[in-house]
């Protein structure tokens, strides 16, 4: 039996209460700003008008996302593979969802808002000292922000060193692409891939 409406969901789960119900805010406070300033990694979700979803990782040095004020942040668009899935979706539908991560911290910060892409020097100047400054930035206007509890990270033990696998036991990206694309070329080694990627970091 499938759940088909919100009433069925609420009958099954009930409603949030206490902090879970009240924690959502419409602007950044000192703690959410502190979280963003310490986060070297985030995941961005976007969707176009045809409801095609995309979820993209973004990373940089600690503090790579700049907080302009209580309602705006800037994310540099670092060089990638030029698919531009997130950017094209933002042009189509400017609603975005962000999830910020700090290694070793089990809580995450969730932020929802509206995005725009800018090449304005007033925004780009925040990244002029980067080794590879971005061509554009993503400006997010905050609509909702709140801390997400630690349960998922506690269940997964994500930051526990014992949870790490031996990387040599997992296929390299080169081997995966070779198999998926049915390529006749030799698979790129992990060492070669890392050397190639470092040129864009």
């Amino acid at each position: 039996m499938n759940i088909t409406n919100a009433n069925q969901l609420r009958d099954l789960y009930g409603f949030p209460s206490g902090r879970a119900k009240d924690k959502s805010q419409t602007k950044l406070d000192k703690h959410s700003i502190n979280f963003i300033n310490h986060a070297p990694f985030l995941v961005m979700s976007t969707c176009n008008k045809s409801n095609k979803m995309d979820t993209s990782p973004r990373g940089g040095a600690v503090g790579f996302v700049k907080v302009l004020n209580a309602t705006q942040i800037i994310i540099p668009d670092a060089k990638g593979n030029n698919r531009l899935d997130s950017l094209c979706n933002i042009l189509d539908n400017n609603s975005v969802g962000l999830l910020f991560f700090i290694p070793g911290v089990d809580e995450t910060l969730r932020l929802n808002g509206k995005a725009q892409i800018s090449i304005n020097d007033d925004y780009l100047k925040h990244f002029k000292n980067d080794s590879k400054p971005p061509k554009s930035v993503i400006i997010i206007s905050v609509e909702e922000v709140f801390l997400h509890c630690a349960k998922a990270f506690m269940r997964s033990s994500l930051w526990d060193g014992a949870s790490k696998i031996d990387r040599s036991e997992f296929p390299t990206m080169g081997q995966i692409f070779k198999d998926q694309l049915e390529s006749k070329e030799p698979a790129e080694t992990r060492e070669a891939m890392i050397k190639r990627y470092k040129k864009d970091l």
Side-chain angles (χ1 to χ4, degrees):
M1 178 179 174
N2 294 331
I3 300 293
T4 58
N5 61 66
N7 288 335
Q8 290 175 312
L9 272 180
R10 292 304 178 187
D11 287 343
L12 183 63
Y13 287 98
F15 289 85
S17 60
R19 291 187 302 183
K21 177 174 65 70
D22 300 329
K23 65 183 178 180
S24 178
Q25 300 183 352
T26 58
K27 59 183 180 180
L28 304 173
D29 72 337
K30 65 178 183 180
H31 295 294
S32 51
I33 291 173
N34 187 49
F35 201 105
I36 292 170
N37 286 339
H38 282 82
F41 184 80
L42 66 88
V43 173
M44 174 189 295
S45 292
T46 60
C47 181
N48 68 12
K49 290 179 181 177
S50 300
N51 293 322
K52 181 180 177 182
M53 297 291 301
D54 180 70
T55 302
S56 172
R58 306 268 163 167
V62 169
F64 80 103
V65 175
K66 308 302 182 187
V67 177
L68 285 183
N69 51 55
T71 58
Q72 280 193 319
I73 63 173
I74 317 174
I75 303 171
D77 187 60
K79 182 175 173 57
N81 55 19
N82 290 332
R83 283 182 56 101
L84 306 183
D85 297 305
S86 298
L87 299 185
C88 288
N89 280 357
I90 287 170
L91 293 177
D92 217 17
N93 171 7
N94 66 349
S95 293
V96 299
L98 307 178
L99 190 62
F100 289 88
F101 298 79
I102 301 174
V105 175
D106 285 341
E107 290 77 17
T108 52
L109 185 74
R110 291 170 59 173
L111 190 155
N112 300 313
K114 301 296 185 186
Q116 54 184 313
I117 305 163
S118 178
I119 55 172
N120 189 311
D121 285 339
D122 288 341
Y123 298 118
L124 289 171
K125 70 181 181 183
H126 290 276
F127 309 98
K128 65 181 180 180
N129 293 326
D130 290 4
S131 59
K132 295 190 180 297
K135 292 181 178 180
S136 69
V137 298
I138 303 168
I139 307 164
I140 310 290
S141 296
V142 179
E143 293 184 332
E144 181 181 37
V145 60
F146 57 93
L147 279 170
H148 191 93
C149 77
K151 292 176 183 176
F153 281 76
M154 293 170 67
R155 292 181 181 121
S156 66
S157 300
L158 185 65
W159 304 131
D160 187 339
S163 296
K164 291 184 178 181
I165 66 169
D166 183 339
R167 188 62 182 83
S168 65
E169 296 177 358
F170 198 82
T172 64
M173 285 286 285
Q175 185 61 53
I176 292 171
F177 285 149
K178 177 178 171 61
D179 294 342
Q180 291 177 339
L181 302 176
E182 299 181 351
S183 172
K184 304 301 182 185
E185 299 296 322
E188 182 182 37
T189 66
R190 179 166 172 79
E191 291 74 21
M193 181 197 72
I194 291 173
K195 183 177 179 180
R196 178 168 55 84
Y197 281 177
K198 282 184 175 180
K199 297 176 183 178
D200 294 330
L201 297 180

